[in-house]
Amino acid sequence: MVAVASAVVALGAATGTLTALGDDADDGGRDTERARPKAGATLVAPSPPPSPPPSASPSVAASTAKPTPSAARTTSRPRAAAAPVSLYRHPESQILDWVRAHPADPRADVIESRIASRPAAVWIADYAPDTVTARVRAVTAGGAAQGRVPVLVAYAIPERDCGGASEGGAPDVDSYADWIDRFAAGLGSREVVVVLEPDSIAQADCLDESGRADRFAALARAGRVLKTANPKARVYYDAGHSGWNAPAEQAALLKQAGAASAASSDGIFSNVSNFHDTADEAAYDRRVLDALGGPPGLGAVIDTSRNGNGAPADGEWCDPDGRKIGRAPTFATGEDRIDAYLWVKLPGESDGCKGAAGEFSPSYAYELASS
């Protein structure tokens, strides 16, 4: 990955990230290179019967059909803040595994109460077409059973992370299209938030012109497929973060990727796996949305998982000291055009300095939760 990524080392060798309990509520330039999940070391929900590692779908037949976008979808969606339901906390994650296995650890109560009890995204991050549908379905079915909204991260774009620490993804755009079809087949019919391919747009300058065109077309199609499969799905596109591209520059890229179309997008996400202050991100996201145009209903979601103290002044991205967890995940932001604060990155998963990239570090989690 290039020297400006927003840090997506959100996945570890364990299964899905946090599940969601309720809605609660602190929170930083172009950063240096950041680590991401490696193929095969990602946080994903287990499929119904077994509990495999990443994106999985036992049912292949349902995913081979490639849904077409619904031309009728031109109206804006209701604002997320008005949603009467709360976020879903999936019961499988590295942090929950650790808490269950270490009840006597003096750090356990703090980690459990301040991190493990919060809702967080579930990453579907390795290229495993045969199991992705079941893995997605396990998460959406769990949310439906509780009447809560799950958050899923689709993370398998070809040439992911530009060959950086989280390299991997589908081998080509056709394979990715099939993978997305299978992902969409597990979305069900209830509300679900999909964070579509972190850094895929902000970091696209590592590709040549043809590669960028292919990627943006793949992302535009992905959004249409996801929303056609489940009209209640909220799909958000990569806006990087407030220290990366200028708002107008990022908006121009987002538009090429379909983020301004109601048929494929509900808006943008920012700060995934990064540390930038929530107020800075909200101001930045509104400027991006203004430049993006599109339906008035487009909004933004912000990753607040580790931004409680903002970003380090020196731009350090790899498990920097002095950080803390930010505002708890919620749809009730009270901020215009900000649909939700989410924990997309699971606090305690290392960027590669305080532990292996993507793996849970109890000492790091305790540092974030007790700061």
Side-chain angles (χ1 to χ4, degrees):
M1 67 185 290
V2 292
V4 256
S6 62
V8 182
V9 197
L11 306 89
T15 54
T17 63
L18 286 172
T19 66
L21 258 186
D23 295 350
D24 295 74
D26 289 84
D27 336 292
R30 245 176 166 107
D31 306 303
T32 54
E33 180 175 343
R34 62 148 197 266
R36 296 207 221 222
K38 304 195 176 199
T42 101
L43 260 130
V44 219
S47 46
S51 163
S55 45
S57 115
S59 170
V60 176
S63 16
T64 51
K66 301 189 174 173
T68 52
S70 167
R73 266 188 88 55
T74 53
T75 58
S76 61
R77 309 179 73 114
R79 304 308 299 143
V85 291
S86 58
L87 290 156
Y88 170 62
R89 192 187 66 146
H90 186 65
E92 298 294 333
S93 71
Q94 294 187 81
I95 191 169
L96 288 169
D97 288 345
W98 183 87
V99 167
R100 291 163 185 153
H102 300 85
D105 191 294
R107 301 166 295 185
D109 286 346
V110 168
I111 292 174
E112 181 175 20
S113 64
R114 298 182 185 176
I115 298 179
S117 66
R118 306 292 191 188
V122 177
W123 290 69
I124 310 296
D126 67 343
Y127 180 68
D130 291 343
T131 52
V132 64
T133 303
R135 286 179 141 327
V136 171
R137 185 178 291 130
V139 180
T140 56
Q146 294 185 16
R148 299 188 177 201
V149 179
V151 178
L152 287 159
V153 180
Y155 193 52
I157 197 76
E159 298 187 72
R160 185 178 69 195
D161 199 23
C162 298
S166 297
E167 66 181 339
D172 52 57
V173 290
D174 289 338
S175 300
Y176 181 70
D178 177 64
W179 186 85
I180 279 291
D181 291 343
R182 297 177 187 229
F183 185 109
L187 287 178
S189 59
R190 303 284 296 267
E191 282 188 278
V192 56
V193 171
V194 180
V195 174
L196 183 61
E197 301 295 345
D199 292 345
S200 59
I201 297 175
Q203 196 186 23
D205 56 0
C206 75
L207 304 172
D208 61 22
E209 185 176 351
S210 175
R212 285 194 297 274
D214 287 346
R215 173 172 289 190
F216 293 157
L219 289 168
R221 179 190 179 278
R224 294 193 302 269
V225 167
L226 295 169
K227 292 174 75 62
T228 298
N230 178 359
K232 292 185 178 180
R234 306 177 190 175
V235 180
Y236 293 91
Y237 281 71
D238 169 41
H241 57 69
S242 58
W244 204 337
N245 295 328
E249 177 186 355
Q250 188 64 28
L253 298 174
L254 282 158
K255 191 170 295 188
Q256 294 177 61
S261 169
S264 54
S265 170
D266 289 272
I268 61 175
F269 62 83
S270 71
N271 208 42
V272 167
S273 296
N274 220 282
F275 306 91
H276 294 276
D277 182 87
T278 298
D280 291 343
E281 288 304 298
Y284 168 76
D285 289 344
R286 291 189 192 100
R287 290 195 293 269
V288 173
L289 288 168
D290 287 343
L292 180 63
L298 297 185
V301 298
I302 299 170
D303 186 351
T304 60
S305 59
R306 305 186 299 176
N307 70 347
N309 280 339
D314 62 2
E316 176 59 57
W317 62 270
C318 188
D319 302 333
D321 292 328
R323 302 311 98 198
K324 72 175 183 178
I325 55 175
R327 300 184 185 184
T330 182
F331 285 131
T333 70
E335 292 282 342
D336 181 46
R337 305 192 80 180
I338 306 302
D339 292 351
Y341 302 138
L342 302 176
W343 283 11
V344 182
K345 167 81 172 183
L346 181 59
E349 286 183 0
S350 176
D351 296 322
C353 294
K354 294 184 177 177
E359 291 185 1
F360 177 71
S361 165
S363 60
Y364 184 31
Y366 184 75
E367 178 186 332
L368 290 166
S370 59
S371 297

